[in-house]
Amino acid sequence: MKKILMIILFSVFFVGCSINTVSGSVISFDDESSIGTIAKYISPAVVGISGISGSSSSVGSGVSVSGNGYVLTNSHVVHGCEDIILYLHDKSQTTAKIIYEDTVLDLAILKCNKDLPYLLLGDSDKMSVGDDILAVGTPLSLNLIHTFTKGIVSAVDRTIKTGSNNGEGYMQNLIQHDASLNPGNSGGPLINSKGEVIGINTLKISSGEGIGFAIPTKSFSSLLSNYIKDENYSVPKLGVYGVDSEIAKFNRKTNLDKGFYVISVAQGSAIKDAGLQGGEVITKINSAVINDTLDLKDELYKHKTSDKIEIEFFKDGNFYTKKIRLK
């Protein structure tokens, strides 16, 4: 059963690799590599971030994940900022703008004018408990940019209960790890033994030691790909709020332990138009099986607004299918 925890947000390997650190080029490794080798060569893709709003500023981290200046970070690092400054490995600075932000997922995609070396996204589904990882970021202040900490994957598919403007909220399907994190690490990459980004560090449990969490790449890899292809990409929305069905089953809302449980439906949304009202469990989009929230997002982000899809859902002991047009 998933553990649900209350948290507070905060703004080895083997030798053998092929590396390219030219601006605008991917930094990749042929095989698993030593910690020192990975740390040495991936630093040019990691940035410190200062978000400025009026007289206040935030410090965070980010990682370049594509040519042409695309950088991932946390939403809470840059949300509401009037100016965003990136601090680069070569001691230079550049500005960036937000091209996508999701405050629930706590993810932002930034675009800068500098073509940075970048890292590949790894498959977060392939990470297992005990796998070695590195966290990279800017703990506490910009003086500590490019700080590396080592750890292991402590657990996968964690659900965390958070506070929100409307009361309780959830961050789901997170990677838990024990690499040291501090305020300022937010938005920095979680790296596997191939030098790939397998998550974006987002929070830790402040009352404990070595209990940090990262957003897995599966949550945003399709989304990022769409924005790289088209900066004006419009994200399709179902208009639902919900949780993994496993959580709903634990709370005796459904007897299905796989799927996405719909808690509420937005007025005027595609799902509302299809007749869903809450209490349903979405089990498929087209032919893709939906086991949890992560699957739902991954499949949804493979589409664009105006696409037609077919959803399968379970309610009152029966399965139904509906065709809807995404908005």
Side-chain angles (χ1 to χ4, degrees), residues 252-309:
R252 300 181 180 179
K253 301 293 186 181
T254 181
N255 59 5
L256 291 189
D257 58 3
K258 300 290 185 183
F260 175 82
Y261 180 79
V262 178
I263 294 175
S264 61
V265 178
Q267 292 294 331
S269 66
I271 283 290
K272 187 74 171 180
D273 292 348
L276 279 74
Q277 299 177 336
E280 300 86 359
V281 178
I282 297 175
T283 52
K284 283 185 181 180
I285 293 181
N286 296 331
S287 59
V289 175
I290 305 301
N291 291 309
D292 52 27
T293 306
L294 198 61
D295 286 341
L296 182 76
K297 289 179 179 178
D298 185 52
E299 193 59 33
L300 182 63
Y301 294 155
K302 292 176 182 176
H303 298 276
K304 59 183 183 295
T305 54
S306 79
D307 280 357
K308 286 184 177 179
I309 64 170

Side-chain angles (χ1 to χ4, degrees), residues 28-40:
S28 61
F29 298 76
D30 288 340
D31 302 296
E32 294 187 340
S33 302
S34 70
I35 294 172
T37 298
I38 288 177
K40 177 180 178 181

Side-chain angles (χ1 to χ4, degrees), residues 65-316:
V65 286
S66 172
N68 297 318
Y70 290 91
V71 171
L72 290 177
T73 188
N74 286 150
S75 166
H76 76 262
V77 172
V78 295
H79 182 68
C81 291
E82 299 158 4
D83 297 293
I84 300 169
I85 301 173
L86 306 185
Y87 294 80
L88 311 181
H89 184 257
D90 64 3
K91 310 300 183 184
S92 67
Q93 301 174 18
T94 189
T95 58
K97 64 178 181 178
I98 301 171
I99 63 169
Y100 171 79
E101 183 181 13
D102 185 333
T103 57
V104 176
L105 182 59
D106 196 23
L107 187 81
I109 303 174
L110 308 180
K111 182 77 160 54
C112 70
N113 293 325
K114 194 156 185 177
D115 202 7
L116 305 174
Y118 64 94
L119 300 180
L120 296 174
L121 296 187
D123 186 351
S124 56
D125 273 354
K126 293 182 179 180
M127 297 304 293
S128 301
V129 173
D131 284 354
D132 290 302
I133 49 86
L134 290 174
V136 196
T138 311
L140 303 180
S141 78
L142 289 165
N143 292 329
L144 299 177
I145 191 172
H146 295 111
T147 294
F148 285 77
T149 54
K150 182 192 172 209
I152 62 167
V153 174
S154 304
V156 295
D157 202 22
R158 288 297 203 201
T159 295
I160 304 300
K161 185 185 291 184
T162 65
S164 70
N165 293 334
N166 299 317
E168 292 183 352
Y170 293 92
M171 295 186 71
Q172 301 180 68
N173 314 116
L174 300 175
I175 299 170
Q176 181 184 335
H177 64 86
D178 67 348
S180 178
L181 297 179
N182 287 283
N185 277 112
S186 293
L190 193 69
I191 306 293
N192 67 11
S193 58
K194 295 181 180 179
E196 299 168 330
V197 178
I198 49 90
I200 298 297
N201 289 310
T202 183
L203 53 89
K204 72 171 184 178
I205 295 181
S206 59
S207 59
E209 294 292 335
I211 308 176
F213 298 91
I215 306 163
T217 54
K218 188 176 179 181
S219 287
F220 55 79
S221 57
S222 296
L223 178 74
L224 176 65
S225 177
N226 285 325
Y227 271 105
I228 291 171
K229 292 174 186 174
D230 177 10
E231 192 175 318
N232 296 313
Y233 170 72
S234 180
V235 181
K237 295 178 174 63
L238 284 177
V240 295
Y241 171 71
V243 296
D244 290 355
S245 189
E246 185 179 359
I247 295 172
K249 182 179 181 182
F250 178 76
N251 291 310
R252 300 181 180 179
K253 301 293 186 181
T254 181
N255 59 5
L256 291 189
D257 58 3
K258 300 290 185 183
F260 175 82
Y261 180 79
V262 178
I263 294 175
S264 61
V265 178
Q267 292 294 331
S269 66
I271 283 290
K272 187 74 171 180
D273 292 348
L276 279 74
Q277 299 177 336
E280 300 86 359
V281 178
I282 297 175
T283 52
K284 283 185 181 180
I285 293 181
N286 296 331
S287 59
V289 175
I290 305 301
N291 291 309
D292 52 27
T293 306
L294 198 61
D295 286 341
L296 182 76
K297 289 179 179 178
D298 185 52
E299 193 59 33
L300 182 63
Y301 294 155
K302 292 176 182 176
H303 298 276
K304 59 183 183 295
T305 54
S306 79
D307 280 357
K308 286 184 177 179
I309 64 170
E310 183 176 81
I311 63 167
E312 178 187 88
F313 61 92
F314 176 84
K315 188 169 186 178
D316 299 330

